[in-house]
Amino acid sequence: MDLEVEPPTQVRAGRLRPAVDLPAAERAVADLLRALGRDPDGVHLSDTPRRVAASYEEMLTPRDFDLTTFPNDAGYDELVLARDIPMISLCEHHLLPFRGVAHVGYLPGGRILGLSKLARVVELFARDLQVQERLTMQVADWLGEHLQPRGIGVVIEAEHMCMSVRGVQAAGTRTVTSAVRGALRENPAARREFLDLIRG
């Protein structure tokens, strides 16, 4: 008797965002330079508007990818954790970067995920004008919706340039946010295991 094998599934992952208007962004940067008392036509600044506009376009445009899930044939029911995923985003209040690491874990249900996709999902939401709290929830909610695990946990630790280089100038300060769902929220032992593994 032939056993029916469930195939992998793929979902094209991306987010609809308005395209960056590069010529308008370049003009805006040139205007900003003038407002700051600088000459955007000077020898060292003449290409700065183009560079800045291109930099923001890159930081605000996540790469599309295929979210591939596989049947959990082995019935694996323990925590899967990707730790120290590098991430960078832009504070929507100051347009300055915040950067750090994300830790993403899940308790599989009927499907498991290609591990690189955990990092891809972090990037999907990080490449935007963000606040860290919302970014953390978006990663957890998106994975919960598309993977349907028994539990999901996301912790992000990041240093915010808007806090490090201006205002209070508290260099080295890291902000930690978390979002836990399902069994990782409801089961104290599972939650403790998740947090302990993050701490190493």
Side-chain angles (χ1 to χ4, degrees):
M1 181 173 91
D2 291 334
L3 293 177
E4 193 172 309
V5 177
E6 190 179 349
T9 63
Q10 281 192 341
V11 175
R12 191 68 179 160
R15 296 179 62 207
L16 292 177
R17 295 200 187 128
V20 174
D21 183 340
L22 284 172
E26 289 180 34
R27 290 191 300 273
V29 173
D31 287 344
L32 177 62
L33 287 170
R34 286 186 197 93
L36 295 174
R38 304 299 189 269
D39 178 7
D41 298 318
V43 64
H44 294 291
L45 295 177
S46 62
D47 205 28
T48 296
R50 181 196 62 76
R51 289 190 194 104
V52 172
S55 295
Y56 275 100
E57 180 185 41
E58 181 180 343
M59 289 187 286
L60 294 172
T61 307
R63 295 171 288 187
D64 291 346
F65 65 96
D66 291 321
L67 180 75
T68 306
T69 65
F70 303 91
N72 187 5
D73 294 336
Y76 186 81
D77 64 356
E78 298 292 330
L79 187 64
V80 177
L81 175 66
R83 207 169 68 176
D84 298 325
I85 299 167
M87 56 78 45
I88 187 165
S89 192
L90 281 171
C91 164
E92 69 181 8
H93 301 135
H94 300 96
L95 298 185
L96 289 171
F98 62 96
R99 66 183 307 156
V101 294
H103 314 288
V104 182
Y106 73 97
L107 289 168
R111 303 196 69 78
I112 57 174
L113 181 66
L115 294 177
S116 68
K117 302 309 187 249
L118 295 173
R120 293 281 196 186
V121 174
V122 171
E123 180 192 281
L124 180 66
F125 292 99
R127 287 196 176 194
D128 201 352
L129 298 178
Q130 273 290 12
V131 295
Q132 186 174 328
E133 297 89 340
R134 181 174 64 229
L135 168 60
T136 308
M137 292 190 303
Q138 285 174 325
V139 172
D141 292 342
W142 197 93
L143 283 169
E145 178 185 342
H146 289 87
L147 186 57
Q148 298 182 340
R150 292 180 298 115
I152 186 90
V154 178
V155 172
I156 295 179
E157 305 174 51
E159 181 175 359
H160 292 247
M161 295 300 104
C162 57
M163 187 174 169
S164 297
V165 302
R166 57 157 302 281
V168 70
Q169 297 184 14
T173 301
R174 293 171 72 83
T175 299
V176 180
T177 50
S178 67
V180 288
R181 308 284 188 265
L184 290 181
R185 183 180 188 96
E186 296 152 9
N187 181 327
R191 183 182 183 123
R192 190 166 43 253
E193 179 188 12
F194 170 63
L195 295 174
D196 286 347
L197 285 173
I198 286 172
R199 296 183 191 109

